[in-house]
Amino acid sequence: MIQREKYIAPIREFYDSDLIKVITGIRRCGKSVILNAIFNEIKSRSDNIIFLNFEDTATLTAIPDELALLNYVESQRRNTLCYVFLDEVQRVNGWAGACRTLRIKNCSVFISGSNSKLLSREFTKELSGRYVSFRIRPFVYKELAEYARELHKDIPLINYIIWGGFPKRIEFSGESGQRIYLNELNETIIINDIINRYSIRKTEAFKRIANFVFLSNGRILSARSIEKYMKSSGLPCSLTTITKYIGYLEEAYAIATVKQYSAKTKRELEYYFKVYNEDVALNSIRVLNNRYDLAHNFENIIYNELVYMGYTIQVYNTGSQEIDFAAAKGSKQYLIQAAYSVAEDKAYTREFTPFSKLDNSCQKIVITNDDLDYSTSTVRHIRFKDFVLMDEL
């Protein structure tokens, strides 16, 4: 597996800190690999180190709760600073109490977990500010291509646009194996991480909403529009319940919702948001007859790549038209349109026109899958195949 230095570097300065290091993110995005890489790095300079993987039934059976965990660490460690790694720690009863105790007993604690029990709201409450969290994401294209080279494979860009960047999926040689793997992962996220975790009783309604949201990536939504959809589907659902279900999908890191910023009123629009999937495979596995949503997956991938590069993202609403992304990092700001192609006149006009009434205080960019350069005197065109290899815009 590749060394994901982008994620490891920010964690490195906390190796000896008494703050609990929380490695989080959607299932199968590579958290355990990151944890193992850190373990191996620290192991090269210290042998006072403990690694426990609670996905291993034998480990969980032997160490099922807080007291057993504390006793085990105490029996294995020395009196100097001890590095303790706990993978899938949410399976241990009283895990948060154990972590709080370990950090005050001269331990540097690293934890990871996939279940939403370890995600934002809960670990914030349970660890009471005594932590730093690091979110891991599925592969972007640079990482996917690097891992593919390790496996002596080639991943074309169209494959990435359809099937995304869950690392393990490229270990399967055929599309059928990838589909089986991704469908099983989807079920685990929906059933184990959300339905079971939150004791959702209206399971069919939740699954219908999840399907609708995953298939709506790159589109403007509101709780009201989902309410209308559910009513037309014969599964009426209240606005409160819909909002709650969208929150569960976000907490499991399955989606991100991005608010619209109104250039006219200089504020965020409260009721409407754009949804982006953590990985476009969550859209593609729901599509019949290979009618993949290339245009919206393309936009979704650009969002994911921009976030990986470190940009904060809003949807920019000019009042009459929308620009896909307002991307900012430090003092740099960009307005970006994502379009699969602008080769046809209608598409070119649709993507370039929203820029025409805006000043040049921000750099204007169009990203497309076209090979030709469509740059103008005021708008920079970036080819997708170049964009996915960039570290900065």
Side-chain angles (χ1 to χ4, degrees):
M1 183 62 78
I2 66 172
Q3 178 83 0
R4 302 181 78 183
E5 182 64 17
K6 176 86 172 182
Y7 293 108
I8 295 173
I11 305 171
R12 195 172 281 125
E13 63 181 290
F14 292 92
Y15 281 3
D16 296 339
S17 169
D18 66 347
L19 293 172
I20 299 162
K21 278 67 69 178
V22 182
I23 315 297
T24 191
I26 195 170
R27 279 188 183 265
R28 314 284 175 81
C29 67
K31 297 184 299 298
S32 295
V33 173
I34 296 288
L35 206 64
N36 274 283
I38 295 168
F39 171 82
N40 288 327
E41 204 168 282
I42 293 176
K43 191 177 179 181
S44 67
R45 62 182 173 88
S46 172
D47 58 0
N48 192 15
I49 189 166
I50 296 168
F51 193 107
L52 295 169
N53 181 359
F54 293 102
E55 212 163 36
D56 179 5
T57 302
T59 301
L60 185 61
T61 300
I63 309 172
D65 55 32
E66 176 181 356
L67 182 59
L69 177 54
L70 292 173
N71 287 339
Y72 179 84
V73 172
E74 191 62 30
S75 70
Q76 300 297 312
R77 64 167 299 179
R78 295 201 307 277
N79 288 332
T80 56
L81 178 64
C82 180
Y83 300 91
V84 180
F85 292 79
L86 307 172
D87 199 5
E88 298 298 335
V89 69
Q90 79 282 347
R91 304 186 73 189
V92 175
N93 291 327
W95 64 270
C99 290
R100 289 197 303 268
T101 300
L102 288 171
R103 69 172 288 273
I104 62 175
K105 291 196 170 185
N106 201 23
C107 290
S108 178
V109 182
F110 300 78
I111 66 175
S112 78
S114 301
N115 190 287
S116 57
K117 189 171 184 178
L118 193 61
L119 302 185
S120 54
R121 288 182 188 173
E122 190 139 346
F123 75 66
T124 299
K125 178 182 70 177
E126 295 282 358
L127 300 179
S128 306
R130 300 178 180 92
Y131 70 91
V132 283
S133 64
F134 303 92
R135 179 172 172 181
I136 312 302
R137 297 174 179 273
F139 283 163
V140 293
Y141 185 72
K142 288 189 291 290
E143 296 176 309
L144 192 72
E146 183 181 351
Y147 187 43
R149 286 192 294 271
E150 279 191 6
L151 300 176
H152 306 290
K153 294 184 177 184
D154 177 57
I155 301 293
L157 281 172
I158 189 64
N159 179 279
Y160 176 51
I161 293 169
I162 295 171
W163 297 115
F166 280 116
K168 194 172 181 64
R169 66 99 175 165
I170 66 169
E171 295 176 13
F172 299 94
S173 56
E175 184 179 310
S176 62
Q178 292 188 50
R179 276 185 173 274
I180 291 169
Y181 169 75
L182 291 168
N183 274 294
E184 180 273 330
L185 172 57
N186 173 75
E187 287 298 302
T188 302
I189 292 167
I190 297 300
I191 305 298
N192 292 0
D193 291 354
I194 302 179
I195 291 177
N196 291 344
R197 167 71 186 98
Y198 292 103
S199 302
I200 295 173
R201 293 192 298 273
K202 297 180 178 179
T203 56
E204 288 308 310
F206 175 75
K207 288 180 181 179
R208 186 70 63 87
I209 289 170
N211 286 339
F212 180 78
V213 170
F214 286 135
L215 285 167
S216 299
N217 59 333
R219 297 169 176 85
I220 295 290
L221 293 179
S222 68
R224 183 73 68 187
S225 66
I226 298 172
E227 180 194 37
K228 290 179 181 178
Y229 163 76
M230 292 298 289
K231 187 175 181 179
S232 69
S233 300
L235 284 170
C237 216
S238 71
L239 286 172
T240 300
T241 298
I242 290 166
T243 301
K244 184 166 60 177
Y245 288 173
I246 295 296
Y248 294 162
L249 289 168
E250 286 193 273
E251 285 189 12
Y253 293 138
I255 63 167
T257 59
V258 180
K259 292 286 184 69
Q260 283 187 297
Y261 175 79
S262 171
K264 187 174 182 180
T265 62
K266 306 296 182 185
R267 64 179 179 85
E268 286 188 342
L269 302 177
E270 295 180 13
Y271 302 107
Y272 296 92
F273 56 88
K274 238 179 182 181
V275 64
Y276 293 103
N277 297 338
E278 184 74 352
D279 192 277
V280 294
L282 294 169
N283 176 302
S284 295
I285 60 172
R286 289 172 163 81
V287 172
L288 294 174
N289 302 320
N290 297 337
R291 299 291 294 172
Y292 301 117
D293 192 352
L294 298 181
H296 289 100
N297 279 4
F298 182 81
E299 180 180 330
N300 198 144
I301 279 178
I302 289 173
Y303 169 83
N304 290 343
E305 294 268 350
L306 287 170
V307 169
Y308 176 82
M309 291 179 194
Y311 293 95
T312 57
I313 306 296
Q314 290 177 307
V315 179
Y316 193 84
N317 188 304
T318 66
S320 58
Q321 293 174 305
E322 172 199 304
I323 291 173
D324 294 322
F325 305 117
K329 182 162 60 172
S331 61
K332 296 180 179 179
Q333 295 185 325
Y334 305 87
L335 294 176
I336 303 167
Q337 290 282 65
Y340 194 76
S341 174
V342 291
E344 295 184 0
D345 289 345
K346 185 177 179 180
Y348 182 93
T349 300
R350 182 183 66 243
E351 302 302 332
F352 279 79
T353 297
F355 289 130
S356 60
K357 295 181 180 179
L358 300 177
D359 62 34
N360 293 319
S361 58
C362 296
Q363 185 177 146
K364 304 168 186 175
I365 296 173
V366 172
I367 302 171
T368 83
N369 203 37
D370 300 306
D371 281 330
L372 293 178
D373 184 1
Y374 289 98
S375 297
T376 71
S377 60
T378 57
V379 180
R380 174 186 173 199
H381 174 230
I382 301 176
R383 297 180 299 179
F384 182 64
K385 64 184 181 182
D386 298 324
F387 169 74
V388 294
L389 299 178
M390 290 178 170
D391 295 316
E392 299 279 348
L393 289 172

